[in-house]
Amino acid sequence: MSLQEILNHRRATRHYDPNKPIDPERVKQCLQLATLAPTSSNMQLWECYHVTDKAVLAKLAHACLDQLSARSAQEMVVFVTRQDLYKRHAEAARKFEEENQRRNSPAEKQEKRIKKWDLYYGKVMPFLYSRCLGVWGLVRKLLAQCVGLTRPIVRQVSEGDVRVVVHKSCALAVQTFMLAMSEAGYDTCPLEGFDSRLVKKALGLPHKVEINMVVTCGVRLPDGVWGDRYRQPFDETYHRV
């Protein structure tokens, strides 16, 4: 399918066909494609839980308020954010960039570029993603306001702001996954209605994990899509400057 066909095919599916199972390996491939989605500073602070076990699916369906989309899903994928892993991910990115520069940069520029990445992932990212009851966010906010008096700077640096950034990156992966599923001929529905505590309990997730989205998967029934797609008029959405 072309991109336009994929986008037109993808709809939020509320009712899946119980007689049309989907291939979990194909779903896994779609999740691998989702890892190619862009992520802020390449921190990749998200994970996905691909659920195929019927008992766990039943628990998740109840956690998703017993919505028909969840009750009829053949499989589900739960996307979560892992801001608590920022130190590990920053260090992994730092090591990757060091080797990346040694492989691809001119010899005379390698050390300078490596020092830049050491600073970025060794100091800046840990400072930006750290949390302490809002205190670090306040410190970052005050620092940004002072620096911003003389030059442009990112100002959304409070702990709440950074949490939003992590969820935005995860959402990009979710959308990429759903488009990949559509290309594979499968249907999905991203659910916002769920009890996050029960979702964590069903999957045995740590307290610090945050649920970004629960995506149900399957093959739609004729009544699985609610009529025509509604969108705000494009001329109210599009602004050319």
Side-chain angles (χ1 to χ4, degrees):
M1 288 192 287
S2 68
L3 177 59
Q4 184 173 353
E5 289 170 332
I6 290 171
L7 291 168
N8 284 326
H9 174 267
R10 191 217 59 79
R11 298 288 303 276
T13 300
R14 310 293 177 171
H15 195 187
Y16 297 100
D17 192 332
N19 299 313
K20 292 183 178 179
I22 59 178
D23 182 359
E25 288 304 311
R26 193 69 186 275
V27 176
K28 182 179 178 180
Q29 291 171 3
C30 292
L31 288 167
Q32 288 177 316
L33 291 174
T35 66
L36 300 177
T39 174
S40 181
S41 294
N42 205 19
M43 288 292 282
Q44 303 178 52
L45 293 170
W46 64 270
E47 296 175 348
C48 57
Y49 290 81
H50 179 194
V51 183
T52 59
D53 183 272
K54 296 299 183 184
V56 181
L57 285 170
K59 292 179 181 179
L60 285 178
H62 182 59
C64 292
L65 316 181
D66 292 308
Q67 298 177 64
L68 180 58
S69 182
R71 287 188 285 113
S72 63
Q74 293 285 330
E75 301 178 16
M76 292 192 206
V77 180
V78 179
F79 288 84
V80 305
T81 60
R82 294 301 307 264
Q83 190 171 338
D84 57 310
L85 301 181
Y86 72 92
K87 290 182 180 179
R88 182 194 305 177
H89 285 220
E91 177 60 16
R94 187 196 66 77
K95 289 181 179 179
F96 172 83
E97 290 299 345
E98 179 178 345
E99 294 302 316
N100 193 29
Q101 296 305 320
R102 296 196 187 283
R103 288 192 302 269
N104 299 305
S105 290
E108 67 275 11
K109 296 183 178 181
Q110 287 182 7
E111 292 307 317
K112 181 178 180 180
R113 292 177 178 178
I114 288 171
K115 286 181 179 179
K116 181 191 73 171
W117 289 118
D118 284 345
L119 174 63
Y120 192 71
Y121 285 116
K123 301 293 184 181
V124 177
M125 288 299 100
F127 177 60
L128 181 63
Y129 283 92
S130 60
R131 292 191 287 190
C132 182
L133 302 176
V135 175
W136 278 121
L138 180 60
V139 171
R140 293 193 297 263
K141 199 79 172 177
L142 291 172
L143 180 61
Q145 294 300 320
C146 292
V147 175
L149 293 173
T150 58
R151 65 178 178 85
I153 189 171
V154 176
R155 298 174 186 272
Q156 286 66 46
V157 291
S158 71
E159 293 188 14
D161 292 332
V162 176
R163 176 176 175 268
V164 169
V165 169
V166 176
H167 277 274
K168 284 163 63 178
S169 290
C170 185
L172 289 171
V174 174
Q175 177 71 354
T176 303
F177 167 67
M178 291 191 295
L179 294 179
M181 286 285 281
S182 185
E183 194 274 337
Y186 294 152
D187 295 298
T188 56
C189 184
L191 302 182
E192 291 285 359
F194 55 80
D195 184 320
S196 59
R197 183 183 66 82
L198 292 181
V199 172
K200 290 182 185 180
K201 183 177 180 181
L203 297 176
L205 298 177
H207 172 72
K208 291 183 179 180
V209 165
E210 293 188 4
I211 310 300
N212 177 268
M213 214 168 296
V214 179
V215 181
T216 61
C217 309
V219 176
R220 73 182 73 169
L221 283 169
D223 67 341
V225 174
W226 292 348
D228 296 332
R229 176 184 273 139
Y230 169 72
R231 288 294 182 270
Q232 292 285 343
F234 186 64
D235 60 0
E236 295 181 11
T237 301
Y238 173 74
H239 307 280
R240 185 168 181 170
V241 180

